[in-house]
Amino acid sequence: MKWFGKKDYTESLPADRQWTGAILVGLLLLALVLSGVSWYWSQEPEIFWVQQEFEGKPVPRGFATVDTLIRVTETLLDKPGGYLSNDVTPPTIFLDNIPNWEFGVVVQVRDFARVLRNDFSRSQSQSREDTDLADAEPAFNFDHDSWIFPPTESKYRGGVESLYEYRERLVDGSGDAQFFARADNLREWLAVVEKRLGDLSQRLTASVGQRRVNIDLAGDPAAVSTGSEQLNIVVKTPWLEIDDVFYQSRGTAWALTHFMRAVEFDFRDILKDKNAQVSLRQVIRELEATQKTVMSPIILNGSGFGLFANHSLVMASYLSRANAAIIDLRELLGQG
């Protein structure tokens, strides 16, 4: 019933409800689209095989190493969604797993580019370094999360271009580009990998919190440190960083799997001479195991022998075994 002289506000309610419903449906659809894009962009790339020929011809020594470094970096930049660590727009700004995976890959790319510049391409410490590798290595050490002026991708692609130039000169066989597959060169890189995996293993196992004996000065009675020398130390990865460390480890192992395969091909004569092929294959096998599909939608942090799984401890187990095999490999390469 309408009252004379008064406006009936109930007539506008259906239209208001329609607008509200349309807005809610729109927001729901937007959330679904962003969720789908986030899921697609969070997929980790598959492992690829090392190239052992170029344009149908056998490749020179060192080609597999350089080519694999190029392909790992290009996969990092060109995977679904592109390079996301420096993206400040939705939905990437809400993602943290794949940016941490990318950072793990970036660290290994930097280490591999450094040893390629300083060791693999030089006959001795006093020899002249390769100009293209001297350009590539600092390009990969640019800030991994620079959004603009310049963006990270442009610097990394510049490093890839320098690697292409070096690879082309290797294929030409003119002698302008050199690659020295020696045991001491390989040991230099493995020493860096050993420290990287050791650090990640410690951070992963600290997900549940541990009281550890301080062994910083073990083995040298005259050693001193600037920090405190407590007998026991408590280590624990913050709860919000557990998945970050896990995915950084996944990215590290993904990149190392490719680099180890390339090394197995380019250093095959050295490995055979030292009877070290099995040790390297064991490293690769353990690294490949870290790439199994994670069935849980979240990274669980159950206790060591608790009811729920602890994904960090499982990852630490694989990396620790790979690290132990690397130590054995370095010892074999150091023998006469």
Side-chain angles (χ1 to χ4, degrees):
M1 175 183 291
K2 296 183 179 180
W3 294 92
F4 181 79
K6 293 184 178 180
K7 182 178 179 180
D8 188 2
Y9 292 97
T10 61
E11 293 181 351
S12 62
L13 288 179
D16 292 343
R17 289 174 180 173
Q18 289 179 2
W19 278 108
T20 301
I23 292 173
L24 291 176
V25 171
L27 291 176
L28 179 60
L29 291 176
L30 178 62
L32 290 174
V33 170
L34 291 179
S35 297
V37 171
S38 299
W39 174 83
Y40 179 63
W41 285 0
S42 295
Q43 302 302 301
E44 301 168 25
E46 297 290 337
I47 294 176
F48 55 81
W49 290 101
V50 173
Q51 291 191 132
Q52 300 182 4
E53 62 178 25
F54 180 69
E55 296 180 351
K57 301 178 181 179
V59 295
R61 193 60 55 94
F63 178 91
T65 296
V66 181
D67 183 72
T68 300
L69 178 56
I70 291 173
R71 294 173 65 193
V72 165
T73 308
E74 288 183 334
T75 301
L76 174 71
L77 298 174
D78 299 330
K79 59 181 174 51
Y83 185 73
L84 302 178
S85 293
N86 62 343
D87 198 339
V88 296
T89 59
T92 311
I93 196 173
F94 304 113
L95 304 178
D96 63 345
N97 291 343
I98 200 67
N100 280 288
W101 181 92
E102 291 175 343
F103 183 68
V105 176
V106 167
V107 171
Q108 293 308 311
V109 167
R110 291 171 175 173
D111 289 346
F112 209 53
R114 184 178 301 112
V115 77
L116 181 60
R117 174 188 181 183
N118 295 332
D119 299 290
F120 292 172
S121 63
R122 303 177 67 182
S123 60
Q124 54 186 358
S125 61
Q126 300 300 319
S127 60
R128 184 172 177 268
E129 66 180 3
D130 189 273
T131 55
D132 285 325
L133 297 181
D135 291 336
E137 192 258 340
F140 294 131
N141 281 277
F142 185 74
D143 290 342
H144 77 286
D145 57 355
S146 176
W147 175 55
I148 197 171
F149 302 131
T152 299
E153 296 95 321
S154 66
K155 300 294 287 187
Y156 288 0
R157 292 192 188 280
V160 169
E161 289 299 321
S162 297
L163 291 177
Y164 270 117
E165 294 291 334
Y166 173 70
R167 193 191 71 173
E168 183 177 349
R169 290 189 289 114
L170 272 180
V171 174
D172 288 342
S174 60
D176 186 28
Q178 297 288 336
F179 185 92
F180 300 93
R182 300 199 313 258
D184 59 333
N185 287 346
L186 183 54
R187 291 182 78 248
E188 289 293 331
W189 175 59
L190 292 176
V192 177
V193 175
E194 180 182 327
K195 291 181 174 61
R196 296 293 189 192
L197 294 184
D199 171 68
L200 289 173
S201 296
Q202 290 291 326
R203 294 165 62 192
L204 287 166
T205 54
S207 62
V208 294
Q210 292 180 336
R211 182 179 296 273
R212 298 175 181 169
V213 177
N214 191 341
I215 59 173
D216 292 343
L217 304 180
D220 189 348
V224 295
S225 66
T226 56
S228 60
E229 299 181 7
Q230 300 177 356
L231 180 60
N232 295 296
I233 53 176
V234 177
V235 292
K236 182 174 176 60
T237 301
W239 184 76
L240 292 177
E241 297 179 9
I242 290 173
D243 60 334
D244 298 344
V245 178
F246 178 85
Y247 279 99
Q248 182 181 340
S249 301
R250 292 263 291 189
T252 296
W254 181 86
L256 281 177
T257 300
H258 298 94
F259 296 153
M260 290 291 177
R261 286 178 173 179
V263 162
E264 183 182 18
F265 180 73
D266 279 335
F267 289 79
R268 57 190 179 276
D269 295 334
I270 296 296
L271 295 169
K272 182 178 180 180
D273 180 65
K274 301 290 185 178
N275 197 24
Q277 305 102 314
V278 175
S279 295
L280 180 57
R281 289 169 186 166
Q282 182 62 30
V283 174
I284 296 174
R285 179 170 297 181
E286 298 295 346
L287 292 173
E288 288 174 341
T290 66
Q291 302 303 299
K292 295 178 181 177
T293 303
V294 180
M295 304 304 295
S296 173
I298 60 175
I299 302 304
L300 298 178
N301 191 42
S303 59
F305 294 98
L307 181 62
F308 297 100
N310 186 301
H311 294 105
S312 297
L313 294 183
V314 175
M315 178 67 72
S317 176
Y318 287 124
L319 294 187
S320 296
R321 291 203 296 269
N323 202 17
I326 288 175
I327 294 173
D328 292 339
L329 178 58
R330 288 189 65 231
E331 292 179 355
L332 289 173
L333 293 173
Q335 296 175 2

